[in-house]
Amino acid sequence: MEHRTYQSVNQPVRKKDAMQLLLGKPVYLDDITPGNALVVKIMRSPHANAIVKEINSSIAKKVPGVEAIYTWEDVPQTRFAIAGQTYPEPSPYDRLILDRHVRFVGDAVAIVAAETEKAALKAMSLIRVTYDVLEPILDFRKAKDNPIVVHPEEDWFPPCPVGGDNHRNLVASEEDSDGDVDAVLEDCDLVLEHTYHTKAFSQTMMETFRTYTEFDRYGRLHVISSTQIVFHCRRILSRALGIPKSQIRVEKPRIGGGFGAKQTAVCEVYPAFVTLKTGRPAKLIYTREESQIAGSPRHEMEIRIRLGANRDGTIRALDFYTLSNSGAYGEHGPTTVGLSGHKAIPLYTGGLEAYRFCYDVVYTNLQAAGAYRGYGATQGIFALESMVNELAEKLGIDPTVIRDKNMVREGMQMPAYYHEMANACALDRCMEHCRKMFSWEEKYPVRDMGNGKVRTAGVAMAMQGSCISHVDVGSATIKLSEDGTYNLLIGAADMGTGCDTILAQMAAECMECSVDDIAVFGADTDASPYDSGSYASSTTYITGKAVEKACEELKQKICSIAAEMLGCAEEEMAFEGKHVRRAGTGQTVSLGDIAYKSQVFNTKAAEATASHSSPISPPPYMVGMVEIELDKKTGLVTVLDYMAVVDCGIPINPALARIQAEGGIVQGIGHTLMEDVRYNDRGRPIGSSFLQYKIPTRLDMGNLRVEFEHSYEPTGPFGAKSIGEIVINTPAPALAHAIYRAIGVWHRELPITPEKIAMSLAEHADK
């Protein structure tokens, strides 16, 4: 492991946009875009599965202020996907801008554009639609090969072969294995088999989905959107609208949270279509209800695991089957499901002799799922970590000790993780650190507090990735300004994660200057160098390395220009931060002078662009421990203490890394204890506002502590790995474990609400 002292990296530098946000300056989409744009509203289906027979909008069009109303008859008939993924997308092309066949309650039926929101809503209420209502398929366990077919159309198109078949309601299907699982299971002392179920949780970011569109002064479609994926968004719009990518510019302002929801182009196509048809600026802002019922929540998954072990606690075989509910459309379906196995099974590389991982992703007539922080690993880790805790309790072995025995360690090859090596892995140190800081031996035993309340603890481990290996591309451009400062142009999207600041810290470290001397711009498809976007935990690891490479190239160019100024060879020049020094003579040339020279009779640009991609995706690791108090009378779980230790390599900004971890843990606690996505028997959502869909606040969290164990990832910038997603993965299994300790009942379905706990206690008592 490499130890170095840095000036800017590994320092808690204040975020670049901190003061703008703190002072309430206009930075978000609705702040910075004109208010006189056409207001766009979407009329949505009240049925889970229906064919639009007739739409009568003649009265609605007479409402004063209504500009246009569009239906399925007005839109292009080319199918597309809204998943923000690198081309060719693994997600099937199964959408139209407006489709005659509506496939979930909330699916788009008509687009209304008006001068005011009042006029748009009035018009929408006057549109009369006649539906041929069809029977929906709502149970994802019955979807595969069901006679009710969600996508019967013949122009359904899979750009990649991922085992999908629309006539079987299959988005994707695959099997992967290593070793003879059945033989090893046969030889084990103990085989456990259980099924775990996680719901389709909503990202609930503070800023809902929103997009503004206009024609710019060159007649091109200019899209400003709260998005994580400006380049993918451009490609999606190009296909959906049938116009060249060269005629589209996409940029993002400050984003009010994304958590993966805005890796899907949920709303961009509707105002873009309005602008294309009317020639006028248009703006669509989703209500909270729309974000809840027509967004892109986490995939509901059911995961069946068989685990084979010896009586000493050695885990020898794992047999995984994941059934994933993609909902009405297939975006991100083929890719999220893979992480449920490939980002869980490798945690137990230590003694594992064989594994098998199979999955099916199915269509149903429910809201389409998408990307959410953790991206499938969250579901798989809940299942596997719960299973390991069940094994530990069954064998009477401390669950931290059973993990010590089986966990992946530095230098191990991980067959279930595409045979990658764990080059930087401090998971063992994370466990030891967490045990001590949390006081595991004191908190793990069940303690009766009187009045029906008990206290106890649970534990879980997690891993994630640092990019999509062999796919993700990050790029950066860095330019020298006349005053000796720099401009850093990036295509990654800061959505509150602080990547603008983190990438500036790396540039400052490379260029031996202050972070304040780095001005950051992004993301904009016209001005930024290509970047896959902010997802897959890839920004620090991939785009950070691109920054590092661009800086090295710029330093060479600066030295070359300085050498011309002094009439010597480039090899004689050494970059020293604020100036360049000539070896031997000691002559120096300031950055300012070099910058001015670059603008006068010069052929060498004082700027550099670099791209980076990686054949591997080094996992970050984490251990989480939670202490709860459970009230047996009401089923209420109170989180008293949550301790997490994370190995993200070398944290570029420990303060921002800690905030990322705290936020992810709080989201994970919300998934586990309170967030409940529910539908009635016709597929209508129950709970489309924060009155019913409960999310945790800081007051619900108790004591929350995050610390780091450093490893040094040789392929990462300054030894860094990722931090963004892994942190959401330990709360669910740790809490499920603690709840079992408290009441003696395993809950294998999320969320574990007070009602479920109280009912399970009553059932347990009856037995």
Side-chain angles (χ1 to χ4, degrees):
M1 177 174 160
E2 187 171 320
H3 293 276
R4 279 180 58 188
T5 303
Y6 299 109
Q7 293 300 309
S8 299
V9 164
N10 198 221
Q11 302 299 320
V13 173
R14 189 170 74 185
K15 283 178 70 176
K16 283 281 184 184
D17 57 358
M19 295 310 295
Q20 293 290 95
L21 297 173
L22 186 65
L23 297 173
K25 299 294 185 184
V27 295
Y28 297 107
L29 182 137
D30 204 27
D31 301 329
I32 64 168
T33 51
N36 60 353
L38 288 172
V39 174
V40 179
K41 290 289 180 182
I42 308 300
M43 184 178 183
R44 300 187 179 280
S45 169
H47 305 294
N49 192 15
I51 304 294
V52 177
K53 291 176 70 176
E54 186 181 356
I55 299 180
N56 187 338
S57 58
S58 57
I59 297 172
K61 286 177 179 175
K62 293 176 183 176
V63 172
V66 170
E67 174 76 14
I69 296 174
Y70 302 107
T71 70
W72 62 273
E73 294 177 293
D74 302 307
V75 301
Q77 295 301 300
T78 302
R79 295 205 177 265
F80 61 96
I82 60 171
Q85 295 180 279
T86 301
Y87 180 84
E89 296 92 344
S91 302
Y93 291 169
D94 56 11
R95 282 184 178 266
L96 296 175
I97 298 171
L98 294 171
D99 201 330
R100 190 175 190 181
H101 188 170
V102 288
R103 294 173 169 84
F104 71 98
V105 175
D107 209 351
V109 174
I111 304 169
V112 179
E115 303 291 347
T116 65
E117 185 174 27
K118 185 177 179 180
L121 292 173
K122 176 71 173 172
M124 202 154 63
S125 71
L126 295 171
I127 299 172
R128 296 291 173 257
V129 186
T130 306
Y131 296 96
D132 181 6
V133 180
L134 308 173
E135 187 67 24
I137 176 70
L138 303 176
D139 185 344
F140 76 127
R141 299 172 187 88
K142 298 176 181 177
K144 183 178 174 181
D145 295 321
N146 195 289
I148 299 168
V149 178
V150 178
H151 281 275
E153 65 271 12
E154 292 305 317
D155 57 348
W156 181 90
F157 174 63
C160 291
V162 291
D165 184 342
N166 59 315
H167 297 295
R168 300 181 62 200
N169 285 334
L170 269 180
V171 178
S173 183
E174 194 172 292
E175 179 175 330
D176 175 61
S177 63
D178 187 77
D180 190 335
V181 172
D182 295 319
V184 177
L185 286 170
E186 185 73 27
D187 190 52
C188 288
D189 297 335
L190 190 70
V191 176
L192 298 182
E193 182 172 353
H194 292 300
T195 300
Y196 300 86
H197 179 214
T198 65
K199 293 277 194 74
F201 304 112
S202 180
Q203 293 89 347
T204 65
M205 60 281 170
M206 292 300 289
E207 183 196 36
T208 59
F209 300 98
R210 54 196 59 199
T211 299
Y212 168 85
T213 56
E214 64 182 4
F215 280 121
D216 69 11
R217 58 190 177 275
Y218 298 105
R220 298 166 73 225
L221 181 66
H222 179 202
V223 179
I224 304 175
S225 186
S226 185
T227 179
Q228 300 170 220
I229 44 145
V230 291
F231 286 97
H232 295 334
C233 187
R234 180 177 65 177
R235 188 180 70 250
I236 291 164
L237 289 173
S238 171
R239 181 176 174 88
L241 299 171
I243 61 175
K245 297 178 190 68
S246 61
Q247 291 301 304
I248 304 172
R249 173 192 176 193
V250 180
E251 64 169 313
K252 67 103 195 162
R254 182 58 51 220
I255 301 176
F259 310 119
K262 294 170 183 174
Q263 191 193 334
T264 303
V266 169
C267 71
E268 285 85 349
V269 71
Y270 304 116
F273 181 72
V274 168
T275 293
L276 211 60
K277 296 289 279 188
T278 65
R280 296 185 57 185
K283 190 187 294 189
L284 171 57
I285 295 179
Y286 272 30
T287 62
R288 178 58 58 187
E289 179 181 7
E290 285 181 296
S291 287
Q292 290 291 108
I293 70 165
S296 55
R298 189 182 294 287
H299 285 76
E300 177 185 21
M301 291 187 188
E302 189 171 82
I303 299 168
R304 187 179 70 239
I305 301 178
R306 286 196 300 161
L307 180 152
N310 287 347
R311 296 204 180 278
D312 67 354
T314 302
I315 298 169
R316 298 177 57 197
L318 286 167
D319 189 4
F320 250 65
Y321 171 70
T322 300
L323 178 65
S324 179
N325 183 2
S326 195
Y329 299 96
E331 49 258 19
H332 298 283
T335 44
T336 47
V337 70
L339 275 64
S340 69
H342 292 303
K343 299 279 169 71
I345 299 168
L347 282 166
Y348 293 93
T349 299
L352 202 66
E353 298 169 36
Y355 79 87
R356 178 164 54 217
F357 173 40
C358 308
Y359 60 74
D360 289 314
V361 185
V362 294
Y363 284 116
T364 60
N365 291 115
L366 296 172
Q367 177 182 192
Y372 190 166
R373 187 181 207 168
Y375 204 79
T378 311
Q379 296 94 310
I381 286 170
F382 165 64
L384 181 55
E385 286 299 279
S386 292
M387 178 68 100
V388 171
N389 284 331
E390 296 199 36
L391 174 69
E393 297 291 345
K394 196 172 187 71
L395 293 175
I397 300 173
D398 183 312
T400 68
V401 172
I402 211 167
R403 286 175 170 81
D404 287 337
K405 188 178 188 69
N406 292 284
M407 70 170 61
V408 62
R409 293 172 186 262
E410 195 157 285
M412 287 184 179
Q413 189 184 53
M414 299 173 281
Y417 192 63
Y418 315 106
H419 295 278
E420 283 191 24
M421 291 289 292
N423 291 320
C425 176
L427 185 56
D428 52 348
R429 286 186 277 123
C430 289
M431 179 64 77
E432 190 54 37
H433 186 157
C434 204
R435 248 193 304 247
K436 287 179 181 173
M437 289 291 296
F438 183 77
S439 303
W440 172 256
E441 284 75 13
E442 296 170 29
K443 293 178 179 176
Y444 177 56
V446 180
R447 290 149 284 146
D448 192 332
M449 309 306 291
N451 200 26
K453 294 180 179 178
V454 294
R455 292 186 178 184
T456 185
V459 63
M461 305 189 306
M463 62 179 281
Q464 195 75 39
S466 292
C467 67
I468 305 172
S469 58
H470 294 282
V471 173
D472 286 342
V473 173
S475 302
T477 297
I478 187 161
K479 305 193 293 185
L480 177 64
S481 299
E482 295 98 310
D483 58 356
T485 62
Y486 301 93
N487 290 84
L488 180 65
L489 282 66
I490 58 171
D494 193 328
M495 49 185 160
T497 50
C499 78
D500 287 358
T501 308
I502 288 162
L503 296 172
Q505 285 179 254
M506 295 189 203
E509 192 68 45
C510 291
M511 303 311 294
E512 300 174 39
C513 66
S514 162
V515 177
D516 291 336
D517 288 343
I518 308 288
V520 185
F521 174 83
D524 183 325
T525 56
D526 272 11
S528 302
Y530 176 79
D531 196 290
S532 305
S534 295
Y535 61 90
S537 297
S538 64
T539 305
T540 297
Y541 177 72
I542 293 289
T543 309
K545 200 68 178 178
V547 168
E548 206 176 41
K549 289 162 76 170
C551 288
E552 287 308 308
E553 189 180 326
L554 178 58
K555 285 195 280 191
Q556 287 181 354
K557 290 185 173 182
I558 287 170
C559 286
S560 179
I561 295 169
E564 280 190 9
M565 294 169 72
L566 295 181
C568 65
E570 184 182 326
E571 293 73 30
E572 294 181 57
M573 306 307 293
F575 183 87
E576 294 185 351
K578 288 295 181 187
H579 56 254
V580 176
R581 183 182 301 277
R582 182 180 181 184
T585 68
Q587 290 171 281
T588 63
V589 186
S590 73
L591 282 184
D593 287 345
I594 295 168
Y596 278 118
K597 171 59 184 142
S598 72
Q599 298 174 353
V600 180
F601 195 57
N602 172 59
T603 57
K604 295 186 176 76
E607 63 178 73
T609 299
S611 292
H612 182 67
S613 196
S614 176
I616 60 169
S617 177
Y621 301 95
M622 175 184 185
V623 171
M625 294 179 180
V626 65
E627 181 187 21
I628 65 165
E629 182 173 272
L630 188 146
D631 187 336
K632 290 188 173 183
K633 294 180 180 178
T634 64
L636 181 68
V637 173
T638 303
V639 176
L640 302 175
D641 193 16
Y642 201 103
M643 177 72 198
V645 182
V646 184
D647 161 24
C648 59
I650 303 296
I652 302 299
N653 188 317
L656 295 183
R658 181 169 283 105
I659 290 165
Q660 283 276 294
E662 289 174 355
I665 289 164
V666 171
Q667 283 182 311
I669 290 169
H671 285 6
T672 311
L673 299 180
M674 58 186 73
E675 297 180 45
D676 199 0
V677 174
R678 294 173 295 154
Y679 295 91
N680 70 10
D681 60 357
R682 302 305 298 164
R684 183 179 291 275
I686 303 166
S688 55
S689 79
F690 287 153
L691 288 173
Q692 302 99 351
Y693 188 85
K694 298 296 185 184
I695 59 172
T697 69
R698 188 63 186 88
L699 297 176
D700 297 311
M701 287 309 102
N703 192 29
L704 190 59
R705 294 178 290 164
V706 176
E707 298 207 357
F708 299 95
E709 276 291 340
H710 295 180
S711 63
Y712 187 90
E713 173 50 51
T715 64
F718 303 98
K721 299 187 288 187
S722 78
I723 182 74
E725 292 187 275
I726 184 173
V727 290
I728 202 171
N729 293 336
T730 59
L735 281 163
H737 184 205
I739 290 165
Y740 164 78
R741 297 281 298 164
I743 64 172
V745 180
W746 285 107
H747 284 266
R748 302 186 182 102
E749 180 182 72
L750 298 182
I752 311 171
T753 59
E755 297 92 326
K756 288 182 183 176
I757 293 170
M759 288 172 69
S760 70
L761 275 167
E763 291 170 12
H764 200 53
D766 291 343
K767 292 177 183 175

